[in-house]
């Protein structure tokens, strides 16, 4: 008798996804972590998705987030076709499946 090992891709749900073009640098990541902490959000409650991954759209579908925070212009434009996170920062943009909240890149704070 032979047994087959069937690999099932784990589908997980996170309420919040951070969508970025690429990973943040260490100093910027620390600022971002402080902002999340002030909002009482734990990093373990968040999934990170990067536009430089060709499968980013598939990841979003699998995660099924309620809120997507877009960091900078490219992720905002990819989801909403709006081109300026500066103009829309902090303003919720309601979509059918989720709410998009654009934020500016914390690197701006570093001057």
């Amino acid at each position: 008798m032979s047994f087959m090992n069937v690999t099932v891709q784990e589908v997980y749900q996170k309420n919040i996804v951070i969508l970025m073009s690429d990973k943040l640098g260490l100093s910027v990541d620390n600022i971002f972590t402080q902002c999340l902490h002030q909002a009482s959000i734990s990093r373990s409650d968040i999934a990170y998705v990067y536009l430089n991954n060709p499968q980013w759209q598939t990841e979003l579908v699998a995660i099924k987030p309620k809120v997507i925070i877009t960091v900078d212009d490219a992720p905002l434009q990819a989801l909403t076709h709006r081109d300026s996170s500066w103009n829309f920062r902090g303003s919720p943009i309601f979509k059918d499946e989720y709410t998009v909240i654009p934020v500016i890149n914390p690197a701006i704070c570093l001057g």
Side-chain angles (χ1 to χ4, degrees):
M1 177 184 274
S2 107
F3 294 96
M4 293 180 58
N5 290 333
V6 178
T7 305
V8 178
Q9 183 181 19
E10 181 181 332
V11 176
Y12 60 100
Q13 181 174 357
K14 298 281 186 172
N15 288 329
I16 302 171
V17 166
I18 308 289
L19 181 62
M20 309 182 239
S21 296
D22 202 356
K23 292 183 179 180
L24 299 173
L26 184 59
S27 56
V28 175
D29 188 54
N30 288 337
I31 292 170
F32 204 70
T33 300
Q34 290 173 7
C35 293
L36 293 172
H37 180 71
Q38 287 181 350
S40 299
I41 299 171
S42 170
R43 288 187 74 114
S44 62
D45 296 333
I46 295 174
Y48 294 86
V49 176
Y50 303 99
L51 285 182
N52 64 0
N53 176 357
Q55 300 297 319
W56 70 269
Q57 291 173 318
T58 306
E59 284 186 58
L60 284 182
V61 170
I63 296 169
K64 301 178 186 171
K66 293 180 182 174
V67 175
I68 300 175
I69 299 172
T70 57
V71 179
D72 233 345
D73 294 341
L76 176 65
Q77 190 168 22
L79 288 180
T80 67
H81 304 290
R82 296 179 184 180
D83 60 354
S84 175
S85 56
W86 188 262
N87 290 338
F88 294 100
R89 70 189 181 282
S91 301
I93 300 168
F94 300 101
K95 305 291 274 180
D96 291 336
E97 308 85 26
Y98 48 80
T99 300
V100 176
I101 301 176
V103 299
I104 56 175
N105 192 321
I108 292 174
C109 298
L110 299 176

